[in-house]
Amino acid sequence: MTSLQQTTHDVERTLAPARVRDVLAAYLALTKPRIIELLLVTTVPPMFLAAGGVPDLRLVLITLLAGGLAAASANVFNCVLDRDIDELMRRTRRRPLPRHQVQTPQAVVFGVLLAVASTAVFLGAVNWLSAVLALGANAFYVFVYTMWLKRRYSQNIVWGGIAGCFPPVIGWTAVTGELAWAPWVLFAVVFFWTPPHTWALAIRYRADYAAAGVPMLPVVRPAPQVTIRILVYTVVTVAVSLALWPIAQTGWVYPLAAAVLGAAFTVEAVRLHLRARSGLLDASLRPMRLFHWSNSYLALLFIAAAVDPLLR
C-alpha cells in the first residue's frame, strides 16, 4: 500500500464514525427530544396518583419507553409534513429534512417503525387501553393538527393541542387499566396550558410564522389581543389545576403547590400583557420569559401531584 493509499484509508476510517454519529443525530433530531421530555413529565406523576404511592417501577419504565416511541413517531411525521415550512423559518430550518440530512422516504419509514414499536410495547407489556389512547393521540396530532388545523386556522393550537393532553390519561390507565375523572382533570390542565405556552413562543417567532404562511394567533392579531387571551387561558389553567384537589382527594401538598405555582404563572402572564399594552412588539415583549416559566410550571405542578400521595 502506498503512502497516499494509507493516508486515504486512515482518513476514511476517521470519518466513518463521524458520519454514523451525524446520521444517528439527525434521526434523533427528527423525534424532537425536548418535546418528548415534557410529554413524559406529564405521564409519570399520574401513575403515582393512580397507585396512591409508588407504582410498579418496571411498569413506569415500560410506559415511558412506549410513550416515548409514540411521541417520537408523531414528531417524525410532523417533521415530514412540515418540511416545506420548516425550510422557511429560521427557528426550524436546521432540522434534518430541510438540511437534507435525512431523505423523506427514510423519515416516513422511521416514523412507521416507531409507531409499530410503541404499539407493540403497549399491547405486550402495558394494556390495550393505553395503546389505543397513544394511537389516538398520534393520529390526532398528525391528521387533525398538522395536516388540517395548523395551516388554516388561528385557533390551530387550541384544538390541535389536544394530542399533547393524552399522556396523563395514558399514565393513569397504564396503572389502573381504566379511566377516571382525575386524569381527565390533568388532561384539561394541559389543554388550557397549551395556548399560553405556544402563543408566547409564536410571539417571539411571529415573523417566522408569517413568512411561512402559518396563521398563528400572534400573526393575525395584535399583541395586546394575544396577551389578554394568554392571560385568560392562564387563569383557567390555574383554576382547573385546583379542581384536582377535591376530585382526586389529594393531601395538602398538591393544592398548596398548585396555588403558589399558579399565582406565579398568572403574574408572569399579567406582566406580558402590560408590556404588550405599552406598545412593545415581538422579542421586545420578552415572551420567552412566559414560555420558559410555563414549562417549569407544568413540570413542577405534575411533580407535586406525584409527591402528594407519597406524603399522605
Side-chain angles (χ1 to χ4, degrees):
M1 181 181 293
T2 66
S3 59
L4 179 59
Q5 289 174 323
Q6 180 63 47
T7 301
T8 302
H9 180 67
D10 291 342
V11 169
E12 288 176 348
R13 283 201 320 181
T14 302
L15 291 178
R19 284 197 295 267
V20 171
R21 286 196 299 269
D22 290 343
V23 170
L24 292 176
Y27 276 95
L28 179 63
L30 284 175
T31 67
K32 302 181 183 178
R34 295 298 298 274
I35 294 178
I36 294 176
E37 288 175 13
L38 192 59
L39 292 175
L40 297 183
V41 163
T42 59
T43 300
V44 176
M47 300 180 76
F48 280 74
L49 202 60
V54 180
D56 180 352
L57 295 181
R58 176 178 173 276
L59 178 63
V60 172
L61 292 175
I62 292 172
T63 304
L64 285 175
L65 172 61
L69 291 170
S73 172
N75 290 334
V76 169
F77 285 121
N78 175 263
C79 285
V80 169
L81 294 168
D82 280 354
R83 61 191 184 279
D84 57 332
I85 60 177
D86 282 349
E87 198 163 5
L88 299 174
M89 297 173 63
R90 288 177 301 168
R91 185 174 67 88
T92 57
R93 65 177 53 157
R94 295 186 63 81
R95 287 177 177 171
L97 287 172
R99 295 182 67 189
H100 306 289
Q101 293 175 308
V102 179
Q103 298 305 311
T104 301
Q106 284 79 5
V108 172
V109 171
F110 183 47
V112 170
L113 291 176
L114 289 171
V116 170
S118 168
T119 304
V121 174
F122 269 125
L123 290 175
V126 186
N127 57 55
W128 69 267
L129 182 55
S130 297
V132 169
L133 289 169
L135 282 173
N138 278 11
F140 194 94
Y141 184 66
V142 173
F143 295 105
V144 178
Y145 172 65
T146 305
M147 295 184 68
W148 178 41
L149 294 173
K150 184 173 183 178
R151 305 189 189 212
R152 291 176 173 83
Y153 304 104
S154 62
Q155 298 295 305
N156 49 20
I157 197 59
V158 175
W159 301 108
I162 288 175
C165 302
F166 277 90
V169 187
I170 293 170
W172 181 281
T173 58
V175 173
T176 66
E178 59 186 18
L179 296 169
W181 283 113
W184 289 117
V185 173
L186 294 174
F187 177 104
V189 169
V190 181
F191 176 80
F192 289 110
W193 166 89
T194 300
H197 171 76
T198 308
W199 286 336
L201 182 70
I203 290 173
R204 172 65 180 84
Y205 293 101
R206 185 183 65 84
D208 265 7
Y209 285 110
V214 179
M216 298 296 289
L217 189 66
V219 174
V220 300
R221 293 285 186 274
Q225 290 185 24
V226 177
T227 55
I228 192 63
R229 295 189 190 189
I230 286 176
L231 177 57
V232 169
Y233 272 95
T234 299
V235 171
V236 175
T237 300
V238 176
V240 172
S241 73
L242 290 169
L244 185 68
W245 178 19
I247 290 175
Q249 298 182 341
T250 70
W252 60 270
V253 172
Y254 174 79
L256 179 61
V260 173
L261 292 169
F265 193 12
T266 303
V267 167
E268 195 58 52
V270 169
R271 288 174 174 170
L272 179 62
H273 179 57
L274 292 177
R275 290 195 293 271
R277 287 186 59 185
S278 71
L280 297 175
L281 297 173
D282 297 353
S284 300
L285 279 169
R286 290 180 288 167
M288 296 304 287
R289 282 176 54 118
L290 180 68
F291 175 80
H292 292 305
W293 171 245
S294 67
N295 281 332
S296 300
Y297 165 82
L298 195 68
L300 292 172
L301 182 74
F302 273 74
I303 289 171
V307 169
D308 189 276
L310 300 179
L311 300 180
R312 276 185 281 163

